[in-house]
Structure formats: C-alpha cells, structure tokens
Amino acid sequence: MLKIFKIINEEIENIFDKDPAVKSKLEVILCYPGFQAIMLHRISHFFYRKKFFVFARIISHISRFFTGIEIHPGAKIGKKVFIDHGMGVVIGETAIVGNGCLLYKGAVLGGVSLSKGKRHPTLGENVVVGTNAIVLGNIKIGNNAKIAAGSVVLKNVPHHATVVGIPGKIVKTKSYRSILEHNIVPDPFSHVIHHILNEIKELKEEIKISKKK
C-alpha cells in the first residue's frame, strides 16, 4: 500500500514540475484527466498482463469516457509520464512510452500495420509530443527528442532531435533548455525560401554585371 501511495505522489510531483497552472495535489487528483488516465491505465495494464483482456478493456473504455484519453491496456507507460489536457490522445496497444515523457492534446501513437506484433512507436525518456502530433509505426523516438505540434513522424528520430512538419523532418539535433520550449522550433521551409531568394539575388547581380560588360 505504501508503494502505491509513493507512486501516486511521484506522479503528482511530476505534474507540479511540468505544469505551472497546478495549485494543489487535490486539484490534480480530481481535475487532471491526464493523471486520471495514467492511474486507470496502471490498473487496466495489470489485468491485461494477467490475461483478463476484456476486463482490462472495460477499464480503459471507462477511462476514455471520463477523460477523453484512449490508452490501450497493452501499452507500456513509464514513470512520471504527463498527458497535459489530453483530449483526443490515443496510445496504441504495442506502444512504449518512456519515463518522463510529455504528451499534449491530440497526440497519437498509432500503427500502420495489421500484424499482431510490435506495430506502434517506442518513445525514449523525456520525449515531448506536441499538440496534434502523430507518430506512426514501429519506430523509435530517441531520448529528449521533441515532436513539434501538428507533425507526422514516420521514421526513427535520434536522441535530442527536434522534428517538424508533414512528413516530419529533423531540424535540430540538440534539445532546448526547457522541456516546455517545444514551441521554439526552426522553420525548414523558411530556410529553403530564404536560400532560394538569396540565389535569385546573386543571379540578378551577375546578370547586371554581365550586361555592363
């Protein structure tokens, strides 16, 4: 029993670290759907491992109804995982979410195969998955990686990388100072456009010089 209370307290303290809006532990327990979904998942996953599959799915279904967060009982969720707001989050059966990960509203860890084996993503530790970002298939997201909001990731992502766009492209290979700074990401398309404009400018200068000659 003491171990259970310790685990719950660790999860609550983690939310205090990652959400500046939180005011009290009671607020977390009663009003944070991400916390409630994770706790209910711990229970459903226990029964799933004991092969009480239907009962496990009933618990996860109840959790989905009250929290708006759908976590398959088979998914493996590490310690201190925080689902912020959480509405529309979907985590598939064979997904693995490492310790300290942070998922925002609408994040999806989905599959692209009908096989019975591993078909969902594996997130390393301290990964941030931004709002409405989608990570698909049996791929690995490295430790401290950040998936920008609205991105669609279909390939492996190395440690400390930042991924932006559809399909996701790696635009940075070092993490930011704060796990919450997932909004500060480079714009690869802007860089390309600026490069093209500079090329055009240089060509115009060359044409002017050649005309003078």
Side-chain angles (χ1 to χ4, degrees):
M1 185 63 71
L2 288 176
K3 185 179 180 180
I4 294 173
F5 280 115
K6 183 180 179 181
I7 292 171
I8 293 173
N9 190 63
E10 283 180 351
E11 298 291 343
I12 293 174
E13 290 296 334
N14 177 57
I15 293 173
F16 270 85
D17 291 338
K18 293 178 179 175
D19 186 0
V22 65
K23 300 297 187 296
S24 68
K25 291 185 177 182
L26 184 62
E27 179 187 11
V28 172
I29 294 170
L30 297 178
C31 305
Y32 272 61
F35 170 79
Q36 295 164 350
I38 291 293
M39 291 298 102
L40 287 170
H41 173 73
R42 305 287 188 213
I43 299 171
S44 67
H45 185 64
F46 170 82
F47 286 105
Y48 185 87
R49 288 190 291 107
K50 298 295 183 182
K51 300 189 184 303
F52 293 102
F53 299 124
V54 175
F55 188 59
R57 286 303 299 268
I58 290 171
I59 295 171
S60 68
H61 190 67
I62 292 171
S63 174
R64 177 178 178 269
F65 179 82
F66 284 104
T67 67
I69 298 168
E70 183 170 348
I71 308 176
H72 192 284
K76 297 178 181 178
I77 309 294
K79 298 177 181 178
K80 297 184 178 181
V81 172
F82 179 33
I83 302 176
D84 196 1
H85 297 290
M87 180 63 70
V89 167
V90 177
I91 301 176
E93 179 187 16
T94 63
I96 300 173
V97 181
N99 298 335
C101 287
L102 174 60
L103 284 71
Y104 283 87
K105 170 256 174 191
V108 174
L109 307 182
V112 292
S113 169
L114 296 178
S115 69
K116 296 291 186 180
K118 185 76 169 70
R119 61 190 185 279
H120 296 96
T122 296
L123 306 188
E125 295 188 351
N126 304 312
V127 173
V128 177
V129 183
T131 300
N132 295 328
I134 300 174
V135 186
L136 297 176
N138 181 19
I139 60 176
K140 294 182 179 180
I141 310 300
N143 297 339
N144 303 300
K146 291 179 174 61
I147 312 300
S151 300
V152 177
V153 183
L154 304 172
K155 296 180 180 179
N156 292 340
V157 175
H159 301 312
H160 308 291
T162 298
V163 179
V164 176
I166 304 174
K169 293 179 176 59
I170 296 171
V171 296
K172 194 173 182 67
T173 55
K174 290 184 179 179
S175 60
Y176 298 112
R177 291 172 298 170
S178 168
I179 195 171
L180 293 175
E181 291 180 344
H182 60 282
N183 60 312
I184 307 174
V185 294
D187 183 352
F189 304 106
S190 176
H191 293 322
V192 171
I193 291 171
H194 282 300
H195 179 73
I196 293 171
L197 291 175
N198 287 333
E199 290 286 336
I200 293 172
K201 184 178 179 181
E202 289 176 5
L203 287 171
K204 284 182 177 180
E205 292 295 328
E206 289 179 8
I207 292 170
K208 284 181 181 181
I209 293 171
S210 62
K211 282 183 177 180
K212 289 179 181 180
K213 290 180 180 180

